[in-house]
């Protein structure tokens, strides 16, 4: 292909025809020799007469120019010009494709997949061997070259990981010489230098890197009473951005609770501040940059941002001027920076429904039954001992973790038996495990627990002599904790030490103000509850092994410990995709010897049709100008000339334009030769992959149970495909799915009017029934608005879909929800002796639901289900019904309402009997 600037030519030799234009100009300008003048008297008789047909002495210059331009446009058009042609990577040796595949790659992952497909297609045509290495998920063994077709088939399963690429051992590179295509995530990585040198030693290295800035969020925290999250960018974003605070509303439906703009102001760092009420802030589960699909653009929240409501009460009044002796003074000092404290009587604070109630030396509980109910429902009650508790009769007190002896124990006093006791190291199963105990913390008085067989099980902290210091017991869904010392410094120096607030934090009383340290998490096993994928989607962790607290505190996200929310007891810790301590995002810079593409990658556009059309338009103008100069445009023959011109314009308009993209012959033949189930792309590689796996599973079921033998499913290319060749289209809906163009909507409407069927799946039936429309449901409404969809209604029990192949009354997928089909006509009546009405004569053009059918149908290469459906036998039964619904759906598309024709059977039998 010849190149002139950004324009390439498929047949550049045709441009030589432009050299003939000057000669053509001279030929058109040539005139006959001047006539010889002869005087003839009889010419006087012709004076005053006018010729009906006027001919110009010579062609005007502007008409000559118009003709030359028409000819030049035709010559250039037939040369096959293409604006911004995509050049295939040249070379004859093996090709290695290296991709960072990190969270920073997710923002433009479809473009990277397209670039890899183009490189693999070019390699297949030239017979080159290829290999693929993902630096975020490096192979265990040395990479080996294979054929390009095998890698092309595996690309749909390739996805970015929610962590940064790791250092790659150059010893795992393939042997011999090869060229490299490196798809960069756009960020500077220290590990690249050695790997780039090793790759350049093997051959030519080409880098693909997007010019879009990388955006990320750091860990959220509390600052001056507000929720603050840092925002980072590799370059100032060209358009404004917002951060959305996402959480669950009181009905349990996840939604955006607040959003704030990011004020970069030409910088690469900003701070986003959410000043929200505690009730609303505590519902936030994550913060995300709107419009950016990346794990780095998501900041998960944990206990660090959830200030708990804590009620602190005591059995005595504070004495004026003696605050340090108050039973609650040190509790207020420890909890005020990290919790919202509530004052009032016990009955008042119970009505406020706090997260924690702390009772300092209260023996007589006036609202014991109400407090008991509050704890049973999941409340945390923490009690501190003191003189009142030591001298009270606690036999009827049911809100103690262990039975107590009457009286207290004095250690180190005038009548004591020894020196004050120190705290023993915390056991491994204690919530305080791993905390450092200061040497100056001692206990000189305490309340004693009655010996019992289960006393050890309830003890979570003890003194050096083995007597319990802190005990705990489960009560209903909640728990009760008792500190056997007072909350002030009368009985121990514990309230004066840094250990005191740490122990309260371990009991989930307060929130952390900073990132967790090793000591905060050590001694416990943390289990992942939710994990992030590379695109920033939060998913259930499933059966993932627990992580030691020390490893979780020190680890960066990676294959061993992925970003997500980890929990231990009542505490939660978030591990985000952006490594802790990241202060800035540095864009990648490559050596001058490495060619970098993709920074300003433009779309390839053929210009042949436009130029040929311009040339044809110039010729039409030439016809009009010629008719005008000859006087025939407005004369008696103008009607016929105008009709001929209009007919020519009509033929040109109706003829297919050369520039219009059309479905390839091979693809159209493959789709039209057999039954093909198609899926509509969403722009989300993971969802598109699930769609293809689901249609593959449904195709397998059809082959096993019916005479229908579908070909391999296909992904719809809405811009180029003729939709009439597809039997059925599955369209999953995502909240940020791009809308088709007007021309593509016209295609879809022709498909629906021509008898095609589209199954719209919002995949949200598990939550859609609890409140307002989900984001996917709202997006479906906007996507379906331009489509010619008939009135819809929930599927009636006598619809043909209930008995097309199997007898069904439910239509579940991974979830079980209501589906909508074309509403029956008002005059549809039930025929005598038939179980269903004579409904719509054709196939319902759309079926709408949110049951995630593709996930229920999806299977791997060995035919095993990929996603769980329900639990146990009930779940497998639901999967079976989902497969049966898929069979009924396809049979309904292929045969129409053939079951409804049975309403005519009685009449036909009666006529045959006559």
């Amino acid at each position: 292909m010849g190149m002139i600037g950004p324009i390439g030519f498929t047949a550049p030799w045709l441009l030589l025809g432009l050299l003939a234009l000057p000669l053509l100009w001279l030929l058109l300008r040539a005139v006959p020799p001047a006539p010889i003048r002869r005087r003839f008297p009889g010419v006087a008789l012709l004076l005053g007469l006018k010729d009906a047909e006027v001919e110009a002495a010579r062609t005007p210059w502007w008409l000559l120019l118009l003709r030359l331009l028409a000819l030049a446009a035709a010559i250039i058009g037939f040369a096959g010009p293409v604006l911004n042609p995509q050049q295939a990577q040249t070379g004859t040796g093996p090709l290695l494709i290296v991709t960072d595949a990190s969270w920073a790659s997710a923002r433009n992952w479809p473009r990277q997949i397209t670039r890899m497909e183009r490189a693999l297609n070019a390699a297949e045509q030239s017979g080159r061997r290829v290999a693929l290495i993902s630096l975020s998920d490096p192979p265990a063994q040395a990479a080996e070259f294979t054929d390009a077709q095998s890698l092309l088939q595996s690309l749909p399963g390739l996805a970015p990981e929610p962590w940064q690429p790791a250092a790659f051992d150059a010893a795992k590179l393939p042997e011999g010489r090869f060229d490299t295509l490196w798809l960069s995530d756009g960020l500077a990585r220290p590990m690249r230098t050695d790997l780039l040198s090793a790759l350049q030693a093997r051959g030519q290295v080409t880098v693909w890197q997007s010019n879009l800035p990388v955006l990320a969020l750091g860990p959220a925290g509390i600052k001056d009473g507000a929720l603050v999250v840092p925002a980072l960018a590799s370059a100032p974003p060209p358009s404004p951005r917002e951060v959305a605070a996402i959480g669950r509303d009181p009905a349990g439906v996840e939604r955006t609770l607040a959003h704030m703009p990011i004020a970069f102001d030409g910088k690469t760092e900003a701070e986003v501040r959410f000043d929200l009420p505690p009730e609303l802030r505590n519902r936030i589960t994550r913060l995300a940059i709107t419009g950016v699909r990346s794990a780095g653009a998501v900041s998960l929240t944990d206990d660090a941002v959830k200030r708990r409501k804590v009620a602190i009460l005591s059995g005595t009044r504070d004495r004026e001027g003696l605050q340090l002796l108050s039973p609650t003074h040190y509790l207020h000092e420890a909890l005020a920076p990290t919790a919202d404290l509530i004052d009032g009587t016990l009955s008042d604070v119970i009505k406020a429904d706090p997260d924690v109630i702390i009772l300092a030396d209260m023996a007589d509980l006036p609202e014991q039954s109400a407090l008991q109910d509050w704890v049973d429902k999941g409340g945390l009650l923490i009690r501190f001992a003191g003189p009142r508790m030591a001298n009270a009769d606690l036999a009827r007190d049911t809100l103690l973790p262990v039975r107590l002896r009457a009286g207290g124990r004095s250690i180190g006093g005038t009548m004591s038996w020894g020196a004050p006791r120190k705290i023993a190291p915390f056991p491994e199963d204690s919530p305080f495990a791993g905390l450092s105990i200061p040497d100056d913390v001692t206990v000189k008085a305490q309340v004693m627990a009655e010996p019992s067989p289960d006393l050890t099980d309830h003890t979570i902290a003890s003194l050096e002599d083995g007597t319990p210091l802190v005990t705990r017991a489960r009560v209903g869904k909640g728990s009760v904790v008792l500190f056997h010392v007072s909350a002030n410094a009368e009985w121990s120096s514990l309230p004066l030490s840094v250990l005191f607030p740490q122990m309260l934090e371990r009991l989930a009383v307060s929130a952390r103000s900073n990132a967790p340290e090793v000591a905060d998490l050590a001694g416990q096993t943390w289990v992942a509850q939710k994990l992030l994928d590379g695109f920033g989607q939060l998913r259930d962790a499933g059966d993932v092994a627990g992580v030691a607290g020390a490893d979780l505190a020190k680890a960066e996200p990676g294959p061993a410990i992925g970003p997500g929310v980890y929990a231990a007891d009542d505490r939660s810790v978030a591990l985000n995709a952006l490594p802790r301590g990241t202060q800035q995002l540095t864009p990648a810079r490559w050596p001058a010897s490495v060619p970098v593409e993709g920074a300003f990658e433009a779309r390839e556009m053929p210009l042949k049709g436009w130029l040929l059309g311009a040339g044809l338009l110039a010729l039409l103008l030439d016809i009009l100008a010629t008719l005008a100069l000859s006087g025939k445009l407005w004369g008696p023959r103008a009607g016929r000339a105008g009709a001929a011109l209009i007919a020519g314009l009509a033929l040109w308009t109706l003829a297919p334009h050369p520039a219009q993209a059309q479905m390839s012959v091979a693809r159209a033949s493959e789709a039209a030769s057999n039954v093909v189930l198609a899926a509509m792309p969403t722009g989300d590689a993971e969802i598109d992959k699930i769609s293809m796996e689901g249609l593959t599973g449904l195709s397998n079921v059809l082959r096993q149970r019916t005479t229908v033998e579908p070909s391999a499913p296909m992904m719809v290319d809405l811009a180029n495909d003729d939709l009439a060749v597809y039997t059925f289209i599955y369209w999953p809906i995502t909240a940020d799915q791009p809308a088709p163009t007007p021309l593509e909507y016209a295609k879809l409407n022709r498909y629906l009017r021509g008898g095609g069927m589209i199954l719209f799946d919002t995949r949200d039936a598990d939550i859609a029934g609890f409140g307002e429309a989900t984001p996917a449901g709202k997006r479906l409404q906007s996507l379906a608005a331009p489509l010619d969809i008939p009135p819809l209604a929930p599927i009636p029990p006598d619809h043909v879909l209930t008995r097309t192949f199997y007898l069904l009354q439910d239509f579940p997928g991974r979830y079980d929800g209501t589906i909508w089909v074309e509403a029956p006509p008002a005059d549809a009546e039930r025929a005598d002796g038939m179980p269903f009405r004579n409904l719509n004569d054709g196939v319902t053009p759309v079926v709408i639901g949110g049951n995630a059918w593709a996930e229920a149908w999806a299977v791997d290469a060995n035919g095993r289900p990929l996603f769980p459906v329900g639990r146990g036998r009930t779940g497998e039964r639901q999967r079976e019904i989902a497969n049966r619904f898929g069979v009924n759906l396809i049979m309904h598309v292929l045969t129409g309402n053939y079951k409804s024709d049975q309403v005519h059977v009685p009449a036909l039998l009666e006529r045959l009997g006559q």
Side-chain angles (χ1 to χ4, degrees):
M1 176 179 286
M3 293 292 297
I4 300 179
I7 301 178
F9 295 88
T10 57
W13 56 271
L14 286 178
L15 297 178
L16 296 176
L18 296 176
L19 300 177
L21 292 181
L23 178 62
L24 183 61
W25 174 274
L26 295 176
L27 292 177
L28 293 176
R29 290 286 296 173
V31 296
I36 301 175
R37 301 177 64 86
R38 293 288 188 265
R39 294 183 179 274
F40 179 61
V43 175
L45 300 175
L46 303 178
L47 296 177
L49 298 179
K50 293 184 178 180
D51 195 348
E53 296 183 2
V54 181
E55 295 183 4
R58 62 176 60 190
T59 305
W61 67 268
W62 54 268
L63 188 57
L64 284 176
L65 181 61
L66 183 63
R67 291 172 179 174
L68 291 179
L69 289 177
L71 185 59
I75 292 174
I76 298 175
F78 283 117
V82 179
L83 180 64
N84 302 316
Q86 302 297 335
Q87 298 288 340
Q89 188 164 347
T90 58
T92 56
L95 173 65
L96 174 65
I97 298 178
V98 177
T99 174
D100 287 339
S102 68
W103 59 264
S105 303
R107 73 195 194 283
N108 52 19
W109 188 249
R111 292 179 60 194
Q112 296 198 30
I113 291 294
T114 301
R115 182 63 184 93
M116 283 188 273
E117 288 177 344
R118 193 165 72 244
L120 292 175
N121 286 326
E124 184 179 19
Q125 293 176 1
S126 57
R128 304 178 70 182
R129 305 280 287 175
V130 293
L132 176 65
I133 293 178
S134 172
L135 297 181
S136 296
D137 187 16
Q141 305 296 330
E144 297 182 358
F145 289 109
T146 183
D147 60 288
Q149 187 60 36
S150 298
L151 281 186
L152 275 171
Q153 294 176 355
S154 66
L155 280 187
L158 186 63
E161 301 291 352
W163 48 76
Q164 61 185 8
F168 187 79
D169 185 3
K172 295 182 180 180
L173 292 174
E175 298 293 336
R177 301 278 300 177
F178 53 83
D179 294 334
T180 303
L181 172 63
W182 193 331
L183 290 98
S184 167
D185 62 4
L187 295 180
R189 308 289 186 190
M191 38 72 64
R192 284 203 181 109
T193 304
D194 295 339
L195 180 57
L196 180 61
S197 301
L199 292 174
Q200 287 182 310
R202 306 291 184 92
Q204 175 67 33
V205 177
T206 302
V207 172
W208 185 97
Q209 181 171 292
S210 173
N211 65 316
L212 295 176
V214 181
L215 303 177
L217 294 179
I222 302 297
K223 185 177 180 181
D224 297 331
L227 176 62
V228 176
V229 58
L232 305 176
S234 61
S239 58
R241 295 289 184 178
E242 286 187 342
V243 174
I246 303 171
R248 296 190 178 276
D249 63 11
V253 178
E254 189 174 76
R255 61 179 70 251
T256 299
L257 303 177
H259 55 82
M260 293 293 294
I262 308 176
F264 280 110
D265 297 331
K267 302 179 181 179
T268 58
E269 301 175 10
E271 194 174 75
V272 183
R273 180 185 180 92
F274 290 86
D275 196 358
L276 302 172
E279 291 81 2
L280 192 60
R281 183 180 62 236
N282 289 349
R283 292 184 180 275
I284 296 175
T285 57
R286 67 184 185 276
L287 302 159
I289 302 177
T290 57
V292 179
R293 298 175 61 248
S294 166
V298 176
S299 178
L300 302 173
T301 62
D302 54 14
D303 291 343
V305 301
K306 296 177 181 178
R307 289 170 60 96
R308 288 168 171 77
K309 292 189 297 182
V310 180
I312 302 177
L313 298 92
S314 68
T316 60
R317 292 183 178 181
D318 296 341
R319 287 175 286 178
E320 184 176 357
L322 299 176
Q323 294 181 350
L324 296 180
L325 298 179
S326 170
T328 61
H329 172 74
Y330 296 100
L331 289 171
H332 279 89
E333 292 295 319
L335 298 177
T338 57
D340 297 316
L341 303 182
I342 302 175
D343 294 325
T345 64
L346 184 57
S347 59
D348 292 336
V349 299
I350 291 176
K351 294 177 182 178
D353 192 21
D355 298 298
V356 182
I357 294 179
I358 300 179
L359 304 180
D361 194 18
M362 287 187 65
D364 184 16
L365 303 180
E367 300 287 342
Q368 181 165 334
S369 60
L371 186 60
Q372 179 82 45
D373 294 339
W374 177 82
V375 174
D376 288 339
K377 295 177 181 178
L380 172 61
L381 175 63
I382 299 179
R383 303 182 67 174
F384 283 84
R388 296 169 61 89
M389 181 176 287
N391 297 320
D393 183 7
L394 303 175
R396 296 182 179 180
D397 194 334
T398 59
L399 292 175
L400 289 172
V402 294
R403 293 182 60 189
L404 301 179
R405 289 183 181 180
R409 177 195 184 195
S410 177
I411 309 171
T414 305
M415 299 297 294
S416 67
W417 292 97
R421 297 289 189 263
K422 293 186 177 181
I423 301 176
F426 300 117
E428 293 184 358
D429 58 349
S430 169
F432 310 132
L435 292 180
S436 175
I437 303 175
D439 293 334
D440 57 349
V441 175
T442 59
V443 175
K444 58 184 179 181
Q446 66 176 145
V447 293
M448 300 292 293
E450 287 283 0
S452 65
D454 59 349
L455 178 60
T456 303
D457 297 335
H458 292 305
T459 301
I460 57 177
S462 59
L463 299 179
E464 288 180 330
D465 59 3
T467 57
L469 174 65
V470 184
T471 54
R472 181 177 64 177
R474 302 291 299 183
V475 178
K477 295 182 179 179
S479 58
V480 176
V481 177
L482 173 63
F483 281 75
H484 291 241
V485 294
S486 63
N488 57 16
E490 290 186 29
W491 284 16
S492 73
S493 60
L494 176 62
L496 302 176
S497 70
V498 70
L499 180 62
F500 189 58
Q502 291 178 348
M503 295 177 71
L504 293 177
E505 194 277 323
R506 284 292 184 94
L507 292 172
V509 177
S510 62
R512 297 189 317 273
S513 57
N514 300 308
E517 303 293 340
V518 175
D520 298 328
L521 306 183
Q524 290 180 294
T525 299
W526 297 79
V527 180
Q529 305 297 309
K530 298 282 187 178
L531 291 176
L532 277 177
D533 64 11
F535 295 104
Q537 298 294 321
L538 198 60
R539 306 182 186 278
D540 290 333
D543 297 330
V544 178
V547 180
D551 296 337
L552 181 62
K554 296 184 294 184
E556 290 188 357
I561 305 178
V565 178
Y566 293 80
D569 293 333
D570 295 329
R571 305 168 63 210
S572 65
V573 171
L575 180 62
N576 290 298
L578 192 68
R580 294 169 185 157
T582 303
Q583 300 296 325
Q584 62 180 357
L585 301 179
T586 305
R589 297 287 185 266
W590 298 89
S593 59
V594 178
V596 180
E597 62 179 56
F600 299 98
E601 186 175 352
R603 183 179 179 182
E604 183 179 87
M605 179 183 296
L607 301 178
K608 179 179 180 180
W610 293 100
L611 289 170
L612 293 180
L616 181 57
L617 180 61
L619 292 178
L620 292 175
L621 294 176
D622 175 66
I623 294 174
L624 292 175
T626 302
L627 292 174
L629 291 175
S630 64
K632 296 179 180 178
L633 184 61
W634 314 111
R637 301 181 182 178
R640 282 178 289 176
L645 181 60
I646 292 174
L649 287 173
L651 290 175
W652 177 77
T653 304
L654 295 176
H657 291 227
Q660 182 178 352
Q662 297 180 353
M663 193 175 188
S664 66
V665 176
R667 182 176 171 88
S669 300
E670 180 183 358
S673 61
N674 197 4
V675 174
V676 172
L677 311 183
M680 191 71 69
T682 64
D684 189 320
E686 180 64 22
I687 294 178
D688 293 345
K689 176 175 175 287
I690 293 173
S691 298
M692 297 302 290
E693 292 168 342
L695 294 183
T696 299
L698 180 56
S699 299
N700 294 342
V701 173
L702 287 168
R703 294 190 196 97
Q704 296 168 1
R705 306 185 185 186
T706 71
T707 58
V708 180
E709 296 184 358
S711 300
M714 302 176 69
M715 187 64 69
V716 174
D717 183 356
L718 196 52
N720 301 326
D721 286 356
D722 183 355
L723 301 184
V725 300
Y726 296 124
T727 306
F728 163 83
I729 296 178
Y730 173 74
W731 191 337
I733 303 298
T734 60
D736 54 355
Q737 188 172 142
T741 64
L743 291 177
E744 293 169 349
Y745 269 121
K747 280 187 176 183
L748 289 168
N749 284 325
R750 285 196 300 270
Y751 174 74
L752 293 174
R753 288 193 294 266
M757 175 189 280
I758 299 178
L759 173 62
F760 292 96
D761 189 355
T762 56
R763 305 172 299 104
D764 57 4
D766 56 332
I767 60 173
F770 291 97
E772 299 178 359
T774 61
K778 294 178 181 178
R779 187 56 180 160
L780 172 60
Q781 295 176 8
S782 61
L783 289 175
L787 296 176
D788 294 338
I789 296 178
L792 302 176
I795 185 168
D798 58 346
H799 195 276
V800 180
L801 271 176
T802 64
R803 51 185 42 80
T804 308
F805 194 87
Y806 290 103
L807 297 178
L808 299 176
Q809 289 300 324
D810 298 313
F811 314 94
R814 193 178 185 187
Y815 314 119
D816 191 2
T818 303
I819 70 171
W820 293 68
V821 296
E822 182 179 357
D827 57 351
E829 297 180 356
R830 193 183 305 276
D832 293 338
M834 297 305 298
F836 50 90
R837 294 169 291 174
N838 183 18
L839 299 179
N840 312 310
D841 189 34
V843 175
T844 175
V846 297
V847 176
I848 298 179
N851 294 346
W853 286 287
E855 296 181 12
W857 297 334
V859 296
D860 60 13
N862 297 320
R864 294 189 295 264
L866 289 174
F867 296 92
V869 175
R871 294 183 177 180
R873 294 184 179 179
T874 303
E876 291 307 313
R877 177 62 179 172
Q878 182 172 326
R879 190 191 305 278
E880 171 61 22
I881 299 301
N883 287 332
R884 293 185 180 186
F885 168 65
V887 173
N888 276 22
L889 198 64
I890 303 305
M891 299 301 290
H892 181 45
V893 176
L894 295 176
T895 63
N897 284 2
Y898 79 100
K899 290 279 186 178
S900 291
D901 290 338
Q902 295 183 24
V903 298
H904 304 296
V905 171
L908 294 174
L909 293 177
E910 183 179 356
R911 178 171 298 182
L912 290 174
Q914 293 177 354

